[in-house]
C-alpha cells in the first residue's frame, strides 16, 4: 500500500478525512490548529449509506467483488463529498481518504480505486486490518483521557472487527477478524434473529481459531473502549430505554427522561438489547421503534449486537466505554502527529477531551458541530486580539493568554448542553450542568466555575460583576471574564446566523476598527436583515475593548 502524501498545515487549517466503510461512507471536516495545542474542531460531518460490501448473492464460496450497483452508489456518495469539499475550499492535498474491509477484500479493488481516482479525483489508501485498528485506537484517545491506561479498543465494522491493545499511543497488539455486521447478516439471511444460534456458533469458531483470546489475555487491559457506529447504536438503545421497555415514541423521535448519555455499556445491558432484538416478534410498533432508533442501521443491528455480546463473553469483558470518536478522528490525529513531529503530544489535551466528552453526553452531532463552529470563530477572534498589543491600553489592561483561550473554547463547546431540557433558559441549565459535573478532569474549582459562568452569560442579560456568583473572583479575573464573555457572545451571535460557512476567518486592525472577515453562503443583504442580536453584541464588544468589531462578509 502506498503511503499517504505529506500534508502541510497552516496555523488554522481545514482538513477532511473520508472513511469508506463496508456499510457507510463518512466524511469529517475539521479545523486543525497544529501550532496551538495540537487541537482540532469538527465543523461538519456527513454520512452516506453506501453498503459497499453488499454481495450480489449470499454465496460463501465466490470471491467478494464490488458490484456495479455498489460502485455507482460509492461514486455518487464520493461526488457529494467532493462538492462539499469544493464549497469549503478543501483541496485534495488537504484530504485523506481511507478504505477498510470491503475494498481490502474485493478482488476488483484496484479497478475500483482507479475509477474513483479518475472520475472523482480522490486517492484511496486501502488500510490493512492492523492499521485500521491502530487508527481507531488513536481516535479514541482524542475522546477519552486514557493515554496512560492499558486500553483494549474494539471496533465493529460492516465487514470486519478490529481489536487493539495499546498504551501511551503505542500499539502492543492488533488484530482484524473477518466478522462484520453486514457480512454476518448476508451469511445468515435478513431474518437473522431466526439464525442467531448458528451465527453465535460461527462467531465463536472464528474467534477461537484466531488466537485472539490468548493474545489479549497475555497483554491484559485496564479499560475497554468501543469505537464503532454499531457499538454507539447499541449504547444509544440502552440510553433511550429500549432494553428495559421504558422507551417511548413522540411522533418523530424517541425520547428519554434524563437526557444525558454515559457513553458506556455493561454486559447485562447488551444482553437485554439482544434479547429484545431477537425476541420482540416484530409487529408494527416494534418495527417502528427499531426504525426510529437504528435508522438505516436497522437492517444489520441484530448481527452487530449479537457479535458485540459474543465479544464480551469471549474476552471476559464486564463493561465498555463507548467512544464518540473512531477511525476518521484517528486519521486526523495521525495527520497532526506527522505535521508537528516530535512537538506533537498525544496526551496534551487531557482537559479538552473531558470537555468534549461532557458535551457529547448532552448533544447530538448537529449541536456538537454548532458548538465547534462557535469555538472556531471565538478562537480566531481571540488570536487576532492577542496580536494587537496596543489594543490593551490602561483602560482594558488585561492579558489574554493560552489559559484564557482554553476557557473560551471550553465554554463554547458546552454553552448549548442545556438545550436537552428545552430552549427556554437553557443557558442557565448549561451552567448548572457544568458546575455540578465531575467530568471536567484537571480543572480547578475556580476554573470550572469560570467556564460555567461563561456558558451562562453567552446570551440574554449581560453579567453584573458585583453579583454573588462573582464574589470569590479577584478583580483581575473579573476583568478577564468581561473580555472573554464579550468574545463568546459575539461568536455565538455569528454562529447562530446559519449563513456562516466558517471557511476562512481573517482580520485587520486599525486604531478605530477591528475587522473580522468571514465567508457566507447568503447574499450580504440577507445577512444584514438578520443582525439585530449581532448588532447588540458588537456594541457590547466595543464597550469592552474600546474598539469596533466590524463583521465583513466576503
Amino acid at each position: 500500500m502506498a503511503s499517504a502524501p505529506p500534508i502541510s498545515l497552516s496555523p488554522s487549517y481545514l482538513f477532511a478525512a473520508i472513511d469508506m466503510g463496508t456499510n457507510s461512507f463518512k466524511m469529517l471536516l475539521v479545523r486543525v490548529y497544529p501550532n496551538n495545542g495540537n487541537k482540532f474542531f469538527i465543523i461538519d460531518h456527513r454520512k452516506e449509506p453506501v453498503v459497499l460490501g453488499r454481495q450480489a448473492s449470499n454465496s460463501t464460496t465466490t470471491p467478494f467483488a464490488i458490484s456495479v450497483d455498489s460502485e455507482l452508489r460509492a461514486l455518487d456518495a464520493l461526488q457529494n463529498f467532493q462538492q462539499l469539499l469544493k464549497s469549503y475550499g478543501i483541496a485534495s492535498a488537504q484530504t485523506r481518504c481511507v478504505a477498510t474491509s470491503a475494498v481490502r477484500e474485493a478482488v476488483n479493488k484496484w479497478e475500483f480505486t482507479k475509477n474513483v481516482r479518475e472520475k472523482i479525483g480522490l486517492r484511496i489508501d486501502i488500510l490493512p486490518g492492523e492499521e485500521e485498528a491502530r487508527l481507531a485506537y488513536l481516535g479514541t484517545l482524542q475522546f477519552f483521557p486514557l493515554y496512560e491506561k492499558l486500553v483494549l479498543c474494539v471496533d465493529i465494522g460492516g465487514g470486519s472487527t478490529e481489536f487493539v491493545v495499546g498504551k501511551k499511543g503505542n500499539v502492543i497488539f492488533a488484530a482484524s477478524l473477518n466478522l462484520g455486521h453486514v457480512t454476518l447478516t448476508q451469511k445468515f439471511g435478513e431474518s437473522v434473529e431466526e439464525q442467531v444460534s448458528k451465527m453465535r456458533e460461527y462467531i465463536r469458531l472464528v474467534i477461537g481459531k484466531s488466537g485472539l483470546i490468548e493474545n489479549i489475555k497475555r497483554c491484559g487491559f485496564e479499560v475497554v473502549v468501543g469505537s464503532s457506529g454499531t457499538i454507539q447504536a447499541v449504547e444509544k438503545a440502552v440510553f433511550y430505554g429500549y432494553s428495559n421497555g421504558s422507551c417511548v415514541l413522540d411522533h418523530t423521535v424517541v425520547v428519554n427522561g434524563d437526557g444525558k448519555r454515559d457513553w458506556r455499556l455493561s454486559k447485562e445491558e447488551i444482553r437485554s438489547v439482544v434479547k429484545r432484538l431477537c425476541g420482540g416478534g416484530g409487529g408494527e410498533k416494534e418495527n417502528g421503534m427499531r426504525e426510529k432508533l437504528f435508522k438505516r442501521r436497522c437492517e444489520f443491528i441484530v448481527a452487530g449486537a449479537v457479535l458485540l455480546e459474543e465479544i464480551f463473553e469471549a474476552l471476559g469483558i464486564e463493561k465498555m466505554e463507548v467512544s464518540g470518536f473512531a477511525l476518521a478522528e484517528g486519521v486526523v490525529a495521525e495527520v497532526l502527529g506527522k505535521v508537528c513531529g516530535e512537538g506533537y503530544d498525544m496526551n496534551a489535551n487531557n482537559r479538552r477531551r473531558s470537555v468534549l466528552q461532557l458535551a457529547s453526553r448532552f448533544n447530538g452531532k448537529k449541536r456538537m458541530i454548532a458548538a465547534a463552529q462557535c469555538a472556531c470563530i471565538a478562537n480566531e477572534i481571540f488570536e487576532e486580539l492577542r496580536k494587537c498589543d496596543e489594543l490593551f491600553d490602561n483602560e482594558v489592561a488585561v492579558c489574554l493568554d493560552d489559559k484564557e483561550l482554553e476557557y473560551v473554547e471550553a465554554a463554547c463547546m458546552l454553552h448549548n448542553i442545556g438545550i436537552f431540557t428545552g430552549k427556554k433558559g437553557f443557558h442557565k441549565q448549561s451552567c448548572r450542568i457544568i458546575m455540578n459535573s465531575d467530568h471536567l478532569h484537571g480543572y480547578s474549582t475556580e476554573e470550572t466555575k469560570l467556564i460555567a459562568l461563561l456558558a451562562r452569560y453567552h446570551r440574554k442579560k449581560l453579567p453584573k460583576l458585583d453579583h454573588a456568583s462573582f464574589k470569590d473572583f479577584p478583580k483581575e479575573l473579573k476583568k478577564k471574564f468581561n473580555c472573554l464573555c464579550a468574545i463568546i457572545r459575539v461568536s455565538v451571535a455569528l454562529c447562530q446566523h446559519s449563513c456562516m460557512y466558517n471557511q476562512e476567518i481573517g482580520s485587520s486592525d486599525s486604531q478605530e476598527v477591528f475587522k473580522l472577515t468571514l465567508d457566507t453562503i447568503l447574499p450580504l443583504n440577507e445577512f444584514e436583515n438578520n443582525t439585530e442580536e449581532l448588532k447588540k453584541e458588537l456594541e457590547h464588544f466595543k464597550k469592552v475593548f474600546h474598539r469596533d468589531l466590524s463583521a465583513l462578509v466576503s
Side-chain angles (χ1 to χ4, degrees):
M1 181 192 71
S3 61
I7 296 174
S8 176
L9 301 181
S10 65
S12 173
Y13 199 91
L14 293 180
F15 175 75
I18 298 175
D19 170 12
M20 297 172 58
T22 301
N23 182 29
S24 59
F25 286 10
K26 307 177 189 71
M27 182 169 71
L28 203 65
L29 302 183
V30 300
R31 186 183 290 277
V32 296
Y33 296 87
N35 298 328
N36 191 355
N38 306 325
K39 64 196 173 191
F40 64 87
F41 293 100
I42 299 171
I43 61 170
D44 210 336
H45 180 279
R46 300 298 169 94
K47 183 177 179 179
E48 295 279 353
V50 176
V51 197
L52 191 64
R54 192 186 295 280
Q55 293 175 291
S57 70
N58 291 333
S59 172
T60 58
T61 58
T62 305
F64 170 71
I66 297 170
S67 68
V68 174
D69 287 342
S70 293
E71 181 171 322
L72 288 174
R73 290 195 302 272
L75 291 173
D76 284 344
L78 293 173
Q79 184 62 49
N80 292 337
F81 287 172
Q82 188 70 292
Q83 289 175 357
L84 190 65
L85 291 173
K86 288 180 180 178
S87 70
Y88 273 92
I90 303 176
S92 57
Q94 305 163 18
T95 304
R96 189 179 181 197
C97 184
V98 300
T100 57
S101 175
V103 179
R104 186 165 62 232
E105 302 296 328
V107 294
N108 58 341
K109 59 187 172 186
W110 302 120
E111 179 185 351
F112 172 74
T113 56
K114 180 183 177 183
N115 287 341
V116 170
R117 185 172 63 253
E118 291 178 351
K119 295 179 181 181
I120 308 298
L122 290 171
R123 171 184 171 179
I124 300 173
D125 292 330
I126 304 175
L127 300 177
E130 292 77 10
E131 176 66 2
E132 183 182 348
R134 185 184 72 85
L135 289 172
Y137 166 57
L138 292 185
T140 65
L141 291 183
Q142 309 308 303
F143 190 79
F144 284 121
L146 298 172
Y147 183 80
E148 300 289 341
K149 298 283 188 179
L150 186 62
V151 178
L152 167 60
C153 181
V154 180
D155 188 285
I156 296 177
S160 65
T161 297
E162 278 63 50
F163 302 84
V164 60
V165 178
K167 187 173 184 178
K168 296 184 177 180
N170 298 312
V171 173
I172 298 171
F173 167 77
S176 178
L177 303 186
N178 289 328
L179 293 170
H181 56 78
V182 173
T183 52
L184 283 172
T185 300
Q186 292 187 149
K187 185 177 180 66
F188 294 95
E190 290 188 9
S191 299
V192 73
E193 58 268 30
E194 299 174 5
Q195 303 288 334
V196 167
S197 60
K198 292 181 181 179
M199 185 192 300
R200 290 189 188 279
E201 290 176 9
Y202 178 76
I203 293 170
R204 291 167 187 170
L205 179 65
V206 173
I207 291 177
K209 285 185 175 181
S210 69
L212 178 75
I213 300 172
E214 295 77 15
N215 282 313
I216 289 180
K217 283 185 177 179
R218 178 175 42 79
C219 297
F221 54 84
E222 298 174 77
V223 61
V224 183
V225 178
S227 62
S228 66
T230 292
I231 297 174
Q232 289 179 20
V234 174
E235 184 272 337
K236 182 180 178 181
V238 171
F239 162 65
Y240 281 124
Y242 176 77
S243 57
N244 60 22
S246 63
C247 186
V248 295
L249 286 172
D250 180 17
H251 301 295
T252 58
V253 296
V254 182
V255 296
N256 164 266
D258 62 8
K260 60 182 180 182
R261 299 177 70 168
D262 289 329
W263 292 98
R264 61 172 56 92
L265 282 170
S266 70
K267 182 191 291 188
E268 286 303 316
E269 287 171 336
I270 295 168
R271 186 174 295 163
S272 62
V273 171
V274 172
K275 184 178 180 181
R276 181 164 181 182
L277 285 171
C278 297
E284 185 176 344
K285 184 177 181 181
E286 180 66 23
N287 291 336
M289 183 73 72
R290 287 193 190 185
E291 290 176 6
K292 295 296 182 184
L293 272 174
F294 303 111
K295 298 183 173 63
R296 297 188 183 102
R297 196 177 294 276
C298 191
E299 179 184 357
F300 308 112
I301 191 59
V302 174
V306 169
L307 175 55
L308 181 60
E309 184 182 16
E310 287 299 320
I311 290 170
F312 264 64
E313 290 290 342
L315 300 178
I317 300 169
E318 292 296 327
K319 63 180 181 178
M320 170 184 281
E321 304 293 324
V322 180
S323 174
F325 288 178
L327 176 62
E329 288 82 5
V331 171
V332 175
E334 172 105 319
V335 169
L336 278 171
K338 288 182 177 179
V339 170
C340 300
E342 295 181 359
Y344 182 65
D345 182 358
M346 186 70 71
N347 197 37
N349 295 321
N350 220 15
R351 304 203 317 175
R352 181 171 177 268
R353 289 185 186 93
S354 68
V355 170
L356 289 174
Q357 189 181 353
L358 178 59
S360 300
R361 290 187 71 198
F362 295 90
N363 284 340
K365 287 180 180 177
K366 287 185 178 180
R367 288 210 299 265
M368 284 292 290
I369 289 172
Q373 289 177 334
C374 177
C376 287
I377 295 173
N379 191 299
E380 299 293 342
I381 294 174
F382 189 101
E383 290 293 355
E384 293 302 326
L385 283 170
R386 283 208 293 191
K387 294 177 184 177
C388 308
D389 294 334
E390 72 279 8
L391 181 62
F392 301 102
D393 54 27
N394 292 329
E395 290 185 82
V396 177
V398 64
C399 176
L400 299 179
D401 57 26
D402 289 342
K403 283 276 190 179
E404 278 70 49
L405 177 57
E406 183 183 357
Y407 304 147
V408 165
E409 291 173 347
C412 286
M413 291 304 301
L414 298 172
H415 79 277
N416 57 357
I417 60 176
I419 290 181
F420 82 92
T421 61
K423 288 189 176 181
K424 185 177 180 180
F426 77 87
H427 54 303
K428 298 178 183 178
Q429 182 68 2
S430 296
C431 179
R432 282 192 288 269
I433 293 171
I434 299 168
M435 285 293 294
N436 298 328
S437 171
D438 59 354
H439 286 76
L440 293 188
H441 304 299
Y443 288 97
S444 68
T445 302
E446 184 181 83
E447 288 175 319
T448 300
K449 185 177 181 180
L450 176 63
I451 293 169
L453 289 172
L454 286 170
R456 159 70 176 82
Y457 288 105
H458 81 269
R459 66 192 288 262
K460 298 295 183 179
K461 291 183 180 179
L462 289 166
K464 295 181 179 179
L465 299 182
D466 59 352
H467 189 271
S469 301
F470 299 91
K471 68 177 182 179
D472 296 326
F473 281 16
K475 185 177 180 181
E476 181 66 19
L477 187 56
K478 288 181 181 180
K479 278 189 175 182
K480 286 187 177 183
F481 181 89
N482 213 20
C483 293
L484 302 183
C485 190
I487 294 171
I488 290 174
R489 291 177 73 98
V490 169
S491 301
V492 171
L494 284 168
C495 193
Q496 286 176 344
H497 291 76
S498 59
C499 57
M500 301 312 302
Y501 249 147
N502 196 24
Q503 178 180 342
E504 287 294 336
I505 303 175
S507 65
S508 60
D509 177 53
S510 70
Q511 290 185 351
E512 295 82 21
V513 180
F514 182 81
K515 295 181 180 179
L516 185 70
T517 304
L518 306 118
D519 283 341
T520 177
I521 60 174
L522 291 180
L524 179 59
N525 59 340
E526 289 190 43
F527 182 81
E528 289 178 337
N529 289 336
N530 295 296
T531 57
E532 284 306 313
E533 194 65 33
L534 179 56
K535 286 178 181 177
K536 294 178 183 177
E537 299 307 335
L538 291 174
E539 289 172 3
H540 177 61
F541 185 94
K542 183 178 181 180
K543 289 179 181 178
V544 173
F545 292 105
H546 305 156
R547 196 167 297 197
D548 283 316
L549 172 62
S550 176
L552 307 178
V553 182
S554 61

